[in-house]
Amino acid sequence: MIDANTANAESSRVTHSPFLHSGYNSERWSQQQMVALLPGALLSLWFFGPGVAINIAITVVLGLLTARALNGMARQTSKGADTNLIIMAIVLGLAIPPGASILIPVVGTVVMVALGKQLWGGTGQYPFHPAMVAYLALLLLFSDQMLAWPEANGLLQFDWSTLANKVLLPNPVPLVDGLSQATPLLDLQAQLDSSAPQDLLAATSNLNTATGNLNTATGTFYTAAGLPMLLINLGFLSGGLYLCYTRAIAWQAPVAALASILFCCLLSTGFLSLPGELLGLHLFAGHLLLVTFWVTTELSSSAKTARGRLLFGVIFGCVVYFIRQSGAVPDGLASAIIIANLAAPLLDHRSRVASATAAAQAAAEDT
Amino acid sequence: MLFGRRHSIPNKLRLSKVTGGIQIPSRKELSLRSRIMPTPLPAQLIIPLQQVGADSAIPVVAVGDTVRKYALLAGSESDAVVPVFAPASGTVIALHQQHITVAANRQASIECLVLQTDTGGDESLALSGHDYRQLSPEDLCSLLASAGIIDTETASKDTQSLATLLTEARKTNVELLVINGIESDPYMSSEAAIAREYAEAVIQGAAILQVATGATRCAIAISANQQESRAALQSALSGSSIELIAAPDQYPAHDLGLVIGGLTRSTPATVNHGVNQGVLGLAMHTALAASERISNGKPCTSRITTITGMATQTPKNFCVPLGTPVKHLLALCGARDIAATTVVSQSALNGYAMQSLDEPIAQWHAGFIASAEDELANPQEPEPCIQCGHCITVCPRPLQPNQLLALTIKRDWQQLQQSGLADCIECGACAYVCPSHLPLLQTFRAGREELQLRQHGMQRSNYWQQRFNAHQTREAQEKTQQLEAQRLRKEQANAKAEPGFSRQQARSEIADAVARVKARRLASDKAATGTGKSGHSGEEQ
Amino acid sequence: MMPTLLPSEHIALHLLLWPSLLMAMAWLVATLLRSSAQQRASANSTTILVEQINALLPQTQCGKCGHPGCLPYAKAIAAGEPINHCPPGGPQTINALAQLLADLPQPLDPAHGSHEEERVAVIREDECIGCTKCIKACPVDAILGAGKVMHTVIASECTGCDLCVEPCPVDCIDMVVVSNNSATWPLPEAEPHPRLLQEIC
């Protein structure tokens, strides 16, 4: 008779199949994510100046420090640096306007780590994307500064004196008339508000007729001042495609999100013609591509099954379009993500129940 | 829902990729470089008598007996118990209980017979074969059932005696017989080697099994990337009605449930070892053993086993007499420093590390990997789950391993049952890709074990409840019967006494009689005193 | 032309957004509550509740809880008796009952005995005098025999309830632990996830 306990102890020490491993770990995953972020981030740095780098540096360093401190408080042992947190910090850093006071990234980071992540139990436990939670909080707290995107003049023509604004406490800054980030979208919204009734479909169909002012907005966006944003977004797009290609992220959510935005745009023209300007404005004027590839594919807060991811992307895309066209804020990315996050567990659960039921039925048929 | 509905089997048999699954670089070349080698006999063979199910075969030899090769060592009346034959001639030196690893997570104490092999020649019984075409299916079945063959599905997950499977197949009118020669494990190559070198025998075995099971169609499935084996089978199959199916190069394509699901184009459901949806799957080893049994009359006393891994100098496939200790084979392959190496049995993905190299090789052992130090991944400290969902992507079943892990750790058995833990095939693909190195496979194995125990417990307590109810009903019945019987007895007693009988009357009669006697006595006493005669008193007595 | 949104305006607009989020959350919570309420509602009917409780009891019919069999105890629990009177079920049964009845798990009441390993009764057959007393005591008819002939226990039917031990006049019944001769991989221990809130509060 063998002593069962010793056998157990023995086997738990030795037996540990599988004896092979793909070698894939979270470090590699975040390395890929960072590499993919590089072109977009460097282009932002080039066009918007050192403010971008300062924001990212603050969010990353402070984020890691806050996480370490909170982990210590929760007596949780974290092994190594939290690589997932670095990605979220970079995304937050890119989302904050480069001219904003340093208080904004500091507050944003603390909110992201404490309220967005650790409060829920840390890694793998949070239901909402922490960076988007932080972004929404900042938008509520510092609305003016968060909407004040400077003109993208490029690093060479950068007015270094504006850096002084960053060290100051946030005071009301005049909205800079830059044709980047949310401003063309603001413009679009103003058009819609002024010219159209509440009905979304009517409003969007009005777009084609009442294009007088809008055309100038989109036109200027494509020609001069919009070009930097277009290039930056192309940088993010290339990074996102690289991630999809290397399977570091699942393709379903980004593809579904972009497809549903395209569909909504087509719907606005009644499928008569491809609304090039509108689509361009949606894709390249805001940070849609950054959010699509790095936030909708976030691990813990997004859907995890294939079907769930597709639906997650669709919800996100439709909500973004809806908020942009008729919502209160010019760029509804963060709100759309939070709403989609809310639905994610349900999406996963539904697809699980469906498959389990299918399996049970098949098993019943077998017997 | 239609009960017992079958998915029809398509005319063209084809296996496409399963959803999920992983690609692992193959290391089969290591052991496929050389041909299958016969094994020089070790000094001792340790033969487990309990190979399938819960019952042990009963030895027909005693300690000290000398036996010849192929002689019956242990047998049983039952189909479920597999008879054991001598793999070599020699002397029985012991019969004892020994610890044998029977599955990836279980060791059991099993009765084993130790055979000291003859140092001289191998003396075998004279055996004669048959031509299977001249035998009836019943004869084939009884010959195969008495050959001691067990069918092993997917790396010792489940073993079943061929006799039971044949009975079931004949009962259920099996449509398709699949000889499963797919090996998706990166190391194991025994099935590929068999197909390459014994293609004719395998096909003959398949034909024999087709006749024996009464299947209308028969197919052999083999991995698409095993070119040589495929070519050998292809050329041997010319002119035969047996079909050849190429399976995609993907882990775990070997799983019988996935094979049957793919062939019948149905949802892969939980597949029992036996006939599922009109399909019976048997291992390629079984076909080879069946061919040996019918053509040469030999019972199953050996199997083809892979010995591989970077710690061996000449990895290869062996034709091993059952009962050979693992270390004997490792020594034949020139394994360096055996004591320090981890030897993994069955599969690098879902196998287990050997606790002791003295353990004998049984029919369920597909192979052993003696790993060099950096060859196999060392177990790493698990980190918290980051919910990346890779495990969901690779799971060949519609399961969510991340959820199952959380539920297993929470021990939420009801939810686990609903989430389909029972459908897990323990392939280990989830743990292979997990970036946090979570022990998914181990947890699911333990969880499935516990789930089965609980189901068993539930069945047992239901049974006890039935027994208790029956006991109570019986007691109640007995009580009423007893009362009834009492009542009946009383009535009967009354009925018997009824005509002209009453206690009063009897008493008065007795009193009358006593009075009469007394009166007579008085009268006679008077007479005696009067006459002086004593004769009256005698008469009175 | 350029609409400059004032911070106050923004806050007002977000005040529209957040309520919608809260409503969505409330809907989610309501759905969850409803599903659990449905489960509870089905348990309301006493007969169903008794059935559910009975399904969780081990059915050894040992009577250690003070009731003649498991079903009477299930009825008693449904009527409000404590759930910790079942020694054969042990902590596992108590936890399952606590979960079903939304009660707190309690330790086993030692007045009713202690939780022991699984056992079966075995009769020392050469000592048996054939009195049939144990046969009468067995709640599941697992003992075979007749008057003045040897008795034996059918091990696979025995619930290990101990009820036959007491009546035996010659004390020839032993309770033997059921041996499980296989060692298996243990389930990993549950690691409670430390949460910041729990630590701080």
Side-chain angles (χ1 to χ4, degrees), chain A residues 4-5 7-13 15, chain B residues 105 411 439 442-447 449-450, chain C residues 183-189:
Chain A
N5 288 329
N8 282 346
E10 192 76 359
S11 55
S12 62
R13 186 174 59 79
T15 316
Chain B
N105 56 345
R411 288 157 168 75
Q442 298 302 339
T443 310
F444 296 158
R445 271 193 178 138
E449 188 103 2
E450 177 80 29
Chain C
T184 55
W185 174 272
L187 196 60
E189 275 308 305

Side-chain angles (χ1 to χ4, degrees), chain B residues 97 99 104-110 384 408-413 439 442-447 449-450 454 458 460-465 467-472 474-475, chain C residues 54-55 57-61 68-72 92 99 118 135-142 154 156-160 181-191 193:
Chain B
Q97 297 270 321
H99 271 282
N105 56 345
R106 189 183 296 147
Q107 271 206 330
S109 175
I110 286 178
T408 317
I409 287 175
K410 259 200 285 179
R411 288 157 168 75
D412 189 342
W413 302 110
Q442 298 302 339
T443 310
F444 296 158
R445 271 193 178 138
E449 188 103 2
E450 177 80 29
R454 277 168 173 274
M458 195 73 88
R460 205 177 49 173
S461 69
N462 282 345
Y463 180 65
W464 284 344
Q465 202 181 343
R467 297 272 308 186
F468 182 58
N469 290 344
H471 169 84
Q472 280 187 320
R474 181 178 64 78
E475 269 191 342
Chain C
N54 196 32
L57 293 174
Q59 306 298 336
T60 52
Q61 318 295 352
C70 294
L71 188 62
Q92 201 181 321
Q99 210 178 353
E118 206 185 310
I135 296 180
K136 284 186 191 115
C138 182
V140 291
D141 296 336
I154 310 169
S156 61
E157 315 281 293
C158 176
T159 67
N181 70 351
S182 63
T184 55
W185 174 272
L187 196 60
E189 275 308 305
E191 268 181 52
H193 199 87

